[in-house]
């Protein structure tokens, strides 16, 4: 446990200082400030525009950086051989995986947190008051990203960053279309039905975490819905990390 | 005591170590030499628990280095050490120290002391990205002794150091020996091996061809000359056969 935290802290420092992080941060801040302008172009709908663009922007910027940093997380350790230094010390394979996971998650939380802060300020300055529901949307986004990070770690135990990036984009894309796919199950033939059902249970159902539309229209979700979604993310993330650990343990260096 | 018993290791089809056996007494300095690709690094990786042998066994004080309790008392400097580029040297050393039960309570002053003795005090707050090759070697050495290990494995520790750095490192190795540490290192700089080591092992084409005292091997000549002689003798007998 202690060593997991040591590795997580180290990963946090390493990822938060990555130059790409500053780039995205500056870019997202510029974006968040500029949506005020976009908002003012629309007649009377400015707050609605600001909020939907703002939340979508936070999601997109977060996703880009998560995939960018996560795709090389384990691969880099092996390729640049920093893993030799770690594995020759009394560290277990599972502590490496968990430490990397929590370290990157912490970085991403810090990033989403700072974008969220700017967002709240922008909404407030535009007369929207304190947008507490948006915070809930961001918390769910963090849960979604925990799944995405675990998937990235899994892929990066056995493939190059480019391949991991592509696989993960596919997973994220399918993950968001799942509910849509499910609608076709009833009308599909036998074979397609099993294929669709298989995909439905295999891919993470990421649309569950998207309450941005509800939030901009002034709705929220119930406490039990929230707990269910958070529980789903935790279980899915744990399973994927277990799988990543199995592959990592078998690896030759 | 370090024991290697009939160890073989392949990477897929590629042989890396073939039926290797070694015994190294506690408190000695052991030099491991052999041509490029002979299997030296592969052997060290098995001795430090990074990889496991396909056949045979490696033991440190009677236990496998794959047990984390055994790795508590091991230090390892990889061949071309790579680090987290965005950390400072001092941060990295603390990270390394914190991974050991026996050193995670070290104080700031202890870490500064280690940086000092590795000759990195002046650059301790620089990020590693901006370290020179020699500085990286020094940092690699510093992190290998951070847990005050009984067994120290150094993969080409003298590579890339300036003459002063080499002398400092050799002094450091001597000092560690006087503290009854066991040091296993490989190097292509045979004059240094000759001065430092009590025992040597020579590996060629993944097989051990000599293990014993330096004096017995050299028979009054210098190590480099004898080494080349031996290797060429084996190569010659191979090509005849
Ligand atoms: N990760 C790996 N995957 C595949 N083959 C490997 C790997 N590591 C080493 N080898 C092969 O195993 C053999 C032994 O390599 P090793 O690194 O142990 O040599 P070495 O004695 O340390 O050489 P050098 O003096 O050049 O450092 C070589 O033929 C090498 O190509
Ligand atoms: Mg080598």
């Amino acid at each position: 446990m202690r060593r997991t935290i040591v590795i997580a802290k180290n990963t946090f420092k390493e990822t938060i200082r990555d130059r790409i992080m500053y780039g995205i941060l500056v870019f997202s801040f510029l974006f968040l400030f500029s949506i005020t302008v976009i908002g003012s172009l629309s007649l009377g709908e400015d707050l609605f525009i600001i909020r939907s663009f703002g939340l979508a922007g936070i999601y997109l910027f977060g996703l880009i950086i998560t995939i960018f940093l996560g795709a090389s997380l384990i691969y880099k350790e092996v390729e640049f051989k920093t893993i030799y230094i770690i594995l020759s010390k009394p560290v277990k394979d599972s502590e490496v995986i968990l430490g990397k996971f929590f370290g990157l998650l912490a970085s991403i939380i810090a990033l989403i947190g700072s974008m969220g802060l700017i967002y709240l300020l922008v909404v407030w300055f535009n007369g929207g008051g304190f947008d507490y529901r948006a915070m809930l949307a961001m918390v769910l986004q963090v849960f979604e990203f925990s799944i995405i990070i675990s998937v990235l770690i899994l892929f990066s135990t056995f493939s190059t960053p480019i391949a991991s990036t592509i696989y993960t984009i596919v997973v994220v894309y399918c993950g968001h279309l799942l509910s849509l796919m499910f609608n076709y199950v009833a009308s599909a033939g036998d074979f397609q039905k099993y294929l669709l059902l298989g995909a439905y249970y295999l891919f993470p159902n990421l649309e569950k975490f998207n309450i941005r539309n509800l939030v901009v229209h002034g709705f929220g979700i119930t406490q039990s819905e929230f707990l269910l979604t958070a529980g789903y993310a935790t279980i899915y993330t744990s399973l994927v990390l277990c799988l990543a650990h199995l592959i990592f343990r078998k690896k030759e260096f | 005591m370090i024991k290697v018993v009939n160890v073989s290791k392949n990477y897929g089809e590629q042989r890396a170590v073939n039926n290797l056996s070694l015994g190294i007494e506690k408190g000695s300095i052991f030099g491991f030499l052999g041509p490029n690709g002979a299997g030296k690094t592969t052997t060290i990786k098995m001795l430090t628990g990074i990889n496991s042998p396909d056949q045979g066994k490696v033991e440190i004080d009677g236990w496998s280095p794959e047990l984390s309790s055994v790795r508590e008392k091991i230090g390892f400097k990889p061949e071309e050490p790579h680090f987290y580029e965005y950390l400072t040297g001092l941060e990295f050393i603390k990270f390394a120290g914190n991974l050991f039960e026996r050193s995670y309570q070290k104080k700031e002053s202890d870490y500064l002391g280690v940086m000092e003795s590795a000759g990195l005090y002046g650059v301790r707050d620089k990020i590693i990205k901006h370290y020179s090759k020699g500085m990286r070697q020094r940092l690699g050495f510093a992190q290998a002794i951070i847990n005050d290990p009984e067994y120290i494995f150094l993969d080409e520790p003298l590579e890339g150091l300036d003459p002063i750095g080499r002398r400092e490192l050799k002094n450091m190795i001597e000092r560690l020996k006087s503290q009854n540490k066991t040091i296993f290192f490989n190097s292509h700089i045979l004059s240094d091996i000759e001065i430092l080591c009590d025992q040597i092992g020579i590996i060629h084409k993944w097989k051990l061809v000599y293990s014993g005292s330096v004096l017995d091997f050299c028979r009054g000549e210098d190590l480099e000359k004898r080494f080349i002689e031996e290797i060429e003798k084996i190569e010659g007998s191979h090509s005849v056969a």
Side-chain angles (χ1 to χ4, degrees):
Chain A
M1 185 62 194
R2 191 179 57 74
R3 282 184 295 261
T4 306
I5 296 171
V6 172
I7 295 178
K9 263 194 198 159
N10 190 54
T11 308
F12 175 75
K13 274 191 207 160
E14 175 75 3
T15 48
I16 208 93
R17 289 178 192 172
D18 203 308
R19 230 177 265 131
I20 191 88
M21 193 62 130
Y22 299 124
I24 281 282
L25 209 59
V26 170
F27 207 70
S28 65
F29 285 2
L30 287 177
F31 172 78
L32 286 169
F33 286 119
S34 68
I35 51 177
T36 310
V37 183
I38 303 172
S40 64
L41 296 178
S42 66
L43 302 165
E45 292 286 327
D46 46 345
L47 253 177
F48 175 76
I49 296 282
I50 287 171
R51 291 169 76 195
S52 34
F53 271 63
L55 288 178
I58 291 174
Y59 179 79
L60 208 64
F61 287 119
L63 187 64
I64 291 171
I65 194 91
T66 303
I67 292 182
F68 194 89
L69 291 175
S72 56
L73 209 53
I74 301 290
Y75 181 85
K76 232 163 79 180
E77 290 274 347
V78 177
E79 193 60 18
F80 296 137
K81 298 179 180 145
T82 40
I83 200 75
Y84 293 167
I85 288 181
I86 294 186
L87 290 184
S88 65
K89 297 185 169 24
V91 175
K92 298 192 187 73
D93 298 334
S94 54
E95 293 167 332
V96 176
I97 297 285
L98 283 178
K100 289 271 141 193
F101 170 78
F102 283 113
L104 180 55
L105 187 64
S107 283
I108 298 302
I109 290 175
L111 177 77
I112 295 178
S114 36
M115 289 193 293
L117 206 66
I118 303 288
Y119 167 87
L120 290 177
L121 284 174
V122 168
V123 171
W124 189 71
F125 272 115
N126 284 283
F130 177 55
D131 193 359
Y132 62 93
R133 285 203 189 90
M135 290 178 71
L136 192 65
M138 287 182 244
V139 170
L140 283 181
Q141 184 185 338
V142 168
F143 277 107
E144 174 178 347
F145 283 12
S146 93
I147 293 183
I148 296 176
I149 293 173
S150 70
V151 168
L152 281 160
I153 288 182
L154 173 65
F155 288 142
S156 86
T157 55
F158 61 83
S159 46
T160 60
I162 287 286
S164 304
T165 303
I166 295 170
Y167 300 154
T168 305
I169 289 173
V170 171
V171 170
V172 172
Y173 183 72
C174 292
H176 278 287
L177 290 182
L178 273 187
S179 351
L180 210 67
M181 281 202 258
F182 200 63
N183 293 337
Y184 289 110
V185 166
S187 59
D190 258 356
F191 176 70
Q192 281 123 319
K193 190 170 178 166
Y194 287 119
L195 205 68
L196 279 171
L197 274 177
Y200 184 76
Y201 288 112
L202 185 67
F203 286 110
N205 190 347
L206 299 180
E207 207 45 42
K208 265 191 200 311
F209 302 93
N210 181 6
I211 59 163
R212 289 182 288 278
N213 254 324
L214 291 176
V215 164
V216 294
H217 286 105
F219 300 107
I221 53 170
T222 66
Q223 199 174 8
S224 59
E225 276 173 322
F226 176 80
L227 288 177
L228 218 64
T229 311
Y232 174 74
T234 312
I235 292 171
Y236 199 96
T237 302
S238 315
L239 287 177
V240 177
L241 286 178
C242 282
L243 197 60
H245 173 227
L246 278 181
I247 296 173
F248 187 68
R249 216 177 52 181
K250 293 256 183 300
K251 229 175 148 64
E252 289 275 2
F253 298 103
Chain B
M1 163 114 195
I2 300 174
K3 253 169 96 176
V4 177
V5 188
N6 302 119
V7 163
S8 296
K9 176 86 191 168
N10 292 0
Y11 289 104
E13 292 288 292
Q14 172 69 50
R15 259 271 132 86
V17 169
N18 187 7
N19 200 21
L20 181 80
S21 295
L22 284 174
I24 297 154
E25 291 301 327
K26 214 167 173 158
S28 61
I29 303 187
F30 182 84
F32 200 36
L33 33 156
N36 293 129
K40 302 179 297 295
T41 299
T42 307
T43 307
I44 290 200
K45 279 192 219 161
M46 290 186 282
L47 283 166
T48 49
I50 294 171
N51 277 342
S52 41
D54 295 341
Q55 268 146 43
K57 60 176 180 184
V58 292
E59 279 178 357
I60 287 177
D61 290 341
W63 297 93
S64 163
E66 283 172 54
L67 296 172
S68 53
S69 58
V70 173
R71 294 203 300 277
E72 279 288 335
K73 52 185 177 185
I74 287 181
F76 171 50
K77 186 210 85 81
E79 197 157 20
E80 287 165 34
H82 291 271
F83 309 97
Y84 303 101
E85 301 283 297
Y86 292 105
L87 297 190
T88 68
L90 186 61
E91 280 174 336
F92 183 79
I93 276 300
K94 288 182 184 167
F95 165 66
N98 282 332
L99 291 174
F100 291 95
E101 291 307 319
R102 48 160 71 180
S103 62
Y104 82 92
Q105 282 161 322
K106 264 194 190 326
K107 291 188 291 288
E108 179 81 14
S109 57
D110 297 326
Y111 286 114
L112 290 176
V114 172
M115 289 304 266
E116 174 89 69
S117 70
L120 291 171
Y121 190 80
V123 291
R124 65 188 184 283
D125 292 325
K126 227 178 165 160
I127 61 169
I128 299 171
K129 197 176 168 61
H130 299 148
Y131 271 28
S132 72
K133 186 168 159 201
M135 291 174 188
R136 284 164 191 258
Q137 284 286 16
R138 287 159 186 261
L139 188 61
F141 183 76
Q143 63 80 32
I145 56 167
I146 198 71
N147 57 325
D148 196 19
E150 278 102 79
Y151 293 93
I152 304 165
F153 296 88
L154 305 170
D155 200 345
E156 300 186 18
L158 300 157
E159 194 68 25
L161 291 180
D162 58 31
I164 297 167
R166 256 161 75 182
R167 194 184 58 200
E168 281 169 7
L169 189 74
K170 282 187 274 182
N171 289 342
M172 212 120 64
I173 291 176
E174 293 281 5
R175 204 171 330 133
L176 290 168
K177 180 187 159 74
S178 72
Q179 296 164 11
N180 202 33
K181 311 280 187 196
T182 313
I183 298 158
F184 183 114
F185 83 100
N186 68 45
S187 173
H188 293 296
I189 304 171
L190 301 191
S191 52
D192 290 330
I193 290 217
E194 196 169 0
I195 299 166
L196 285 170
C197 297
D198 317 304
Q199 302 274 315
I200 53 168
I202 299 178
I203 184 171
H204 178 48
K205 296 248 168 85
W206 325 301
K207 277 184 123 139
L208 193 72
V209 294
Y210 176 82
S211 161
S213 81
V214 185
L215 289 176
D216 288 344
F217 183 76
C218 289
R219 294 195 230 123
E221 297 189 71
D222 74 61
L223 179 59
E224 181 144 346
K225 187 159 171 250
R226 282 283 299 127
F227 174 79
I228 294 172
E229 238 174 60
E230 278 302 308
I231 297 293
E232 280 179 344
K233 207 163 81 192
I234 302 167
E235 294 272 330
S237 71
H238 275 202
S239 57
V240 168

